[in-house]
Amino acid sequence: MKTIRVLVIDDSASVREAMTTILSADPDIQVIAAAADPFAAARYIQEEVPDVITLDVEMPRMDGITFLRKLMAQRPVPVVMCSSLVEEGSETLLQALEAGAVDVILKPRVGVADHLAEAHAMIRETVKGAAKARLGARRSLRATSPTRKLTADAVLPPPTGRAMSRTTEMVVCIGASTGGTEALREVLEALPANSPGIVIVQHMPESFTRAFARRLDGLCQVDVKEAEDGDTVMRGRVLIAPGGLRHTMLERQGARYVVAVREGPLVSRHRPSVDVLFRSAARNAGANAVGIIMTGMGDDGARGLLEMKEAGARTFAQDEATSVVFGMPKEAIARGAADKIIPLGHVARELLHATAR
């Protein structure tokens, strides 16, 4: 891998220093400059175009969203939005994703050592994922782990092969990461109100998933909400796994499916992990499930999708041409986990066909 050249843009000197230190800890990343505002950044870009830009949202003279739109119109570069705002700023960051940013991260903050190590590794991995983004694939993350890379075994035992036989209801599990926010919007907007129940893991920082769910709920015929422990998976409802410190799993309670939202270690360097969701579907739904893996960096979900397939589920992977980052789907395809490889524009149709009775 060639060195990833990063330009950091933030009006806070302490944040610029922290970001430079965090990113430089990875030998594959080089911070070529740190700018205090978009005007200084523009001068750097004229001299050397970076591979990735980390961009603050709130800055003097020109806000991050305005700069992002100008950059995408004139000289597109993969941009990762960086914010200290959580709930109150999440809507703005979703606007940034619509404007062309490939991912969002929270600024470095004080906390316990383990949390800091995980957060710093996530920042580096997000930048590395952004460097692989194919901006032309848009229709409108994480470096060396602080601990060894865990599999879904850390949360759930492997499937037993004794999942309940087919019932009248089907459940769909979807996993996505870099580029997934806009891809998921396209899929969910195309679904009718009576679509089968859907559970989604989209890699995002904590609190942003709630705003993401609210945004989708306002755009789609299906109801969309951030998943809460015990929520029922039902027709016409889409549950988005909350970002942060917990995994989201599918469980069976009598004749219905529910989600369990529980604490656990990073799995495939993520929390929530697609592998954990997919394994839980393999264990508890088997042939009643459909698994879909979409655009994203890394291999989270590849093992789990194969487990779903082996348990009798129908499985799909997004194709390379329409993936912003062809990482997660590529790994799943390489493992033989996908029954079918499909472009983004066909996902909704294939989902409905696979769940038709």
Side-chain angles (χ1 to χ4, degrees):
M1 173 185 281
K2 72 180 185 72
T3 301
I4 298 168
R5 298 165 301 128
V6 180
L7 170 61
V8 173
I9 309 176
D10 198 292
D11 64 316
S12 166
S14 61
V15 172
R16 293 197 301 274
E17 181 180 359
M19 286 292 291
T20 299
T21 299
I22 291 167
L23 293 173
S24 299
D26 191 308
D28 294 326
I29 299 175
Q30 175 191 5
V31 177
I32 59 172
D37 60 46
F39 294 96
R43 291 194 293 271
Y44 284 123
I45 294 171
Q46 287 177 348
E47 297 176 3
E48 182 179 5
V49 179
D51 298 310
V52 177
I53 292 173
T54 66
L55 178 61
D56 187 16
V57 175
E58 295 191 322
M59 290 179 291
R61 302 175 69 190
M62 182 186 293
D63 66 89
I65 303 294
T66 299
F67 177 72
L68 173 66
R69 290 186 174 126
K70 290 178 179 294
L71 183 71
M72 291 298 110
Q74 298 172 14
R75 181 173 283 176
V77 174
V79 173
V80 174
M81 300 303 296
C82 183
S83 177
S84 58
L85 302 174
V86 183
E87 186 65 23
E88 65 273 24
S90 52
E91 293 289 349
T92 301
L93 287 167
L94 290 175
Q95 292 175 17
L97 291 168
E98 292 176 344
V102 297
D103 219 331
V104 297
I105 55 174
L106 292 176
K107 288 185 182 181
R109 55 184 177 179
V110 176
V112 297
D114 287 348
H115 175 73
L116 284 177
E118 289 183 4
H120 293 179
M122 206 68 77
I123 289 171
R124 291 189 289 267
E125 186 70 11
T126 300
V127 167
K128 292 175 107 172
K132 294 186 177 183
R134 301 165 59 252
L135 299 184
R138 298 187 68 94
R139 293 293 299 271
S140 11
L141 320 215
R142 297 166 173 170
T144 304
S145 174
T147 58
R148 64 189 180 91
K149 184 177 178 181
L150 299 179
T151 69
D153 291 337
V155 178
L156 288 171
T160 62
R162 296 193 297 272
M164 181 175 287
S165 59
R166 282 186 176 270
T167 65
T168 56
E169 289 299 327
M170 299 284 287
V171 61
V172 178
C173 295
I174 302 176
S177 187
T178 310
T181 53
E182 288 303 288
L184 287 168
R185 175 193 58 77
E186 180 170 333
V187 171
L188 298 184
E189 280 188 316
L191 295 177
N194 66 340
S195 296
I198 299 173
V199 184
I200 296 172
V201 167
Q202 162 69 49
H203 297 152
M204 295 183 82
E206 55 185 302
S207 296
F208 294 118
T209 44
R210 186 174 301 114
F212 180 50
R214 283 201 304 265
R215 170 181 171 247
L216 291 175
D217 189 57
L219 296 172
C220 303
Q221 297 182 64
V222 290
D223 294 327
V224 185
K225 72 181 294 284
E226 185 182 57
E228 298 178 75
D229 188 53
D231 274 347
T232 300
V233 182
M234 63 178 72
R235 280 195 167 273
R237 170 184 274 189
V238 176
L239 299 174
I240 308 287
L245 303 177
R246 297 173 294 170
H247 291 290
T248 296
M249 293 163 272
L250 185 72
E251 293 188 344
R252 185 90 187 197
Q253 285 187 358
R256 63 184 185 138
Y257 294 111
V258 300
V259 292
V261 181
R262 296 173 183 157
E263 294 183 358
L266 295 175
V267 170
S268 299
R269 301 191 182 117
H270 293 281
R271 186 176 46 230
S273 164
V274 182
D275 269 329
V276 171
L277 173 63
F278 284 178
R279 172 168 288 187
S280 68
R283 285 175 53 83
N284 298 309
N288 293 314
V290 172
I292 304 171
I293 194 162
M294 296 175 62
T295 174
M297 173 73 173
D299 63 359
D300 187 29
R303 295 179 184 85
L305 194 71
L306 180 59
E307 291 175 354
M308 289 186 69
K309 180 178 179 179
E310 291 172 341
R314 290 292 310 280
T315 57
F316 301 92
Q318 186 178 348
D319 70 358
E320 182 175 8
T322 62
S323 293
V324 172
V325 177
F326 191 56
M328 288 160 50
K330 181 180 179 180
E331 290 295 326
I333 293 165
R335 294 170 186 266
D339 290 323
K340 195 171 183 180
I341 303 165
I342 55 177
L344 177 60
H346 293 182
V347 172
R349 184 182 69 193
E350 293 287 352
L351 179 163
L352 293 172
H353 179 72
T355 55
R357 294 293 185 154

